[in-house]
Amino acid sequence: MSARLTDEQQALLELVASFAAEQVAPRAAADERAGRFPRDLFDQLGRLDLAGLPFPEADGGGGQPYGVYLRVVEELSRAFLAVGLGLSVHTLATWAIAEHASPEARAEVLPRMLSGEWLGAYSLSEPGSGSDAAALVTRARRDGDAYVIDGTKAWVTHGGVADVYVVMCRTGGPGPRGVSALIVPADTPGLTVGAPERKMGMAASPTAQLVFEGARVPARNLLGAEGEGFAIAMQALDGGRLGIAACAVGLAQAALDQAVAYAVQREQFGRPIAELQGVGFLLADMATGIEAARALYLEAAARRDAGEPYHRQAAMAKLFASDTAMRVAIDAVQVHGGYGYTTDYPVERYLREAKVLQIVEGTNQIQRLVISRDLTRRA
């Protein structure tokens, strides 16, 4: 644990580690098999004051640095990725509201999100616009003191279980300057949720389409001004990418933990396979990659906490950490041999879960584009 942590922060992380080990981890396998969203665990996060950690205490948040919050996300993801990633998504939506909501909407929504009473979701992608997010076509037209939304959003984490959505819609012409952001409560008439996507992993974390047919929300639910939605979305994604990096490190750490435990007890040729150089070197590379990924996301978080630019570093952290998680999960399966390919051990689940981390919050190809453009723009 870093020496830069205060005693209070150290105690917080120890509390989270105990909660994750005792309450979260035992649920992972069964909830994943059943495709069951663990809403009660999110309720417990709220009761433990973990739902609003990186937000000011004056607003009802935890007042913690972003780096401490990310360590919490990592620990939860190490126990059960659906919970760690769910907290990251909730924070992504909460940030947009905390920073850009009108005073009326902020007073109505933010306390419920910071307390964990409401679970948030973030909706940018559409069936025809994923990486090209500025091409979205869902439209919100102004009608008196309200906006009326029509269209379909896609790939919404917490779709159907969230209490409130931050939705990017088109209020103007084509391109990013025509995009606005709206707060949409889940019970808004005219909003329906599609069937959950059938995914190769993360079955306990529902992903679904949102269908808007004349859905009417108050004009006060606009975030920022009209035309600022795309900029808000991109700013939110910088923090969200750090959340995914922390999720990836947590998942990779869980895979390494399992691989080490197996390698120490599994014997071949009369000795534990951990003593075989081929296996030992594999474990060493896994551990080194995890430490490097953790250091990268913590450095980016420190820049954020200091008010310094961290756009490039967030993309780097997400890229490197999720690629590392994929490599570590593959190697953890390899260490287990044939057993790693069965559902008797959790490493096969880690492998299926790791893949999505290379896709969400911008694919890793998009991260490379973000990094290269930032490098050349500053040259």
Side-chain angles (χ1 to χ4, degrees):
M1 201 66 69
S2 171
R4 291 176 291 177
L5 294 172
T6 66
D7 290 345
E8 178 188 10
Q9 291 165 351
Q10 180 81 36
L12 169 65
L13 294 178
E14 289 173 358
L15 169 68
V16 172
S18 295
F19 170 68
E22 296 169 8
Q23 302 294 325
V24 180
R27 293 279 299 278
D31 283 355
E32 279 295 321
R33 281 195 301 270
R36 181 172 53 238
F37 179 65
R39 180 59 188 257
D40 61 307
L41 293 179
F42 287 91
D43 293 340
Q44 290 187 62
L45 293 181
R47 289 193 290 273
L48 292 171
D49 294 328
L50 300 177
L53 275 179
F55 298 94
E57 290 179 297
D59 291 331
Q64 292 295 330
Y66 214 72
V68 171
Y69 151 71
L70 291 175
R71 286 176 181 267
V72 170
V73 171
E74 178 188 335
E75 196 66 46
L76 293 171
S77 300
R78 183 179 182 181
F80 188 0
L81 181 60
V83 176
L85 188 141
L87 179 59
S88 178
V89 169
H90 173 77
T91 302
L92 180 69
T94 304
W95 177 88
I97 293 167
E99 292 293 318
H100 298 284
S102 67
E104 299 87 351
R106 197 175 189 274
E108 179 183 348
V109 177
L110 188 60
R112 291 185 168 103
M113 299 190 75
L114 294 178
S115 69
E117 177 187 351
W118 281 5
L119 182 66
Y122 177 89
S123 180
L124 175 62
S125 296
E126 295 184 2
S129 63
S131 295
D132 185 11
L136 64 86
V137 297
T138 294
R139 180 160 290 278
R141 61 179 176 82
R142 184 68 181 261
D143 181 24
D145 61 355
Y147 284 93
V148 180
I149 310 172
D150 289 283
T152 301
K153 307 299 290 186
W155 308 113
V156 182
T157 302
H158 296 163
V161 298
D163 299 290
V164 64
Y165 301 93
V166 171
V167 180
M168 308 304 161
C169 307
R170 188 160 301 284
T171 55
R177 294 185 180 180
V179 176
S180 297
L182 289 165
I183 303 169
V184 182
D187 60 0
T188 299
L191 166 60
T192 57
V193 180
E197 302 289 350
R198 298 188 296 273
K199 301 173 295 184
M200 67 184 291
M202 293 285 287
S205 176
T207 304
Q209 291 189 349
L210 305 180
V211 179
F212 296 91
E213 296 178 299
R216 191 179 185 92
V217 297
R220 66 175 180 274
N221 285 18
L222 179 70
L223 295 176
E226 282 197 7
E228 294 182 355
F230 192 77
I232 291 170
M234 294 302 102
Q235 291 168 14
L237 282 176
D238 281 341
R241 285 165 180 165
L242 292 185
I244 297 303
C247 288
V249 172
L251 181 70
Q253 186 66 59
L256 175 63
D257 293 344
Q258 289 288 333
V260 170
Y262 183 83
V264 168
Q265 62 86 24
R266 173 67 168 171
E267 291 190 358
Q268 293 284 277
F269 310 106
R271 54 178 173 161
I273 64 172
E275 296 180 9
L276 301 174
Q277 189 178 82
V279 174
F281 281 13
L282 203 60
L283 297 174
D285 287 344
M286 293 160 72
T288 302
I290 292 169
E291 289 291 344
R294 183 179 290 117
L296 193 55
Y297 88 61
L298 288 174
E299 172 60 24
R303 293 177 66 92
R304 176 187 171 116
D305 287 331
E308 300 173 2
Y310 72 102
H311 178 64
R312 184 202 309 174
Q313 288 76 15
M316 287 176 169
K318 192 273 181 181
L319 166 65
F320 185 79
S322 58
D323 279 353
T324 296
M326 192 67 192
R327 286 194 299 271
V328 169
I330 289 172
D331 288 344
V333 170
Q334 193 70 20
V335 168
H336 284 70
Y339 289 112
Y341 200 66
T342 72
T343 58
D344 295 334
Y345 290 84
V347 289
E348 63 84 27
R349 172 165 59 84
Y350 298 152
L351 176 55
R352 290 185 288 107
E353 291 176 338
K355 185 60 203 174
V356 77
L357 299 175
Q358 295 179 302
I359 298 171
V360 295
E361 311 291 29
T363 66
N364 282 4
Q365 287 68 34
I366 288 294
Q367 306 312 314
R368 290 178 170 89
L369 186 63
V370 168
I371 296 163
S372 63
R373 284 179 174 175
D374 191 71
L375 287 169
T376 55
R377 181 173 61 85
R378 296 173 184 271

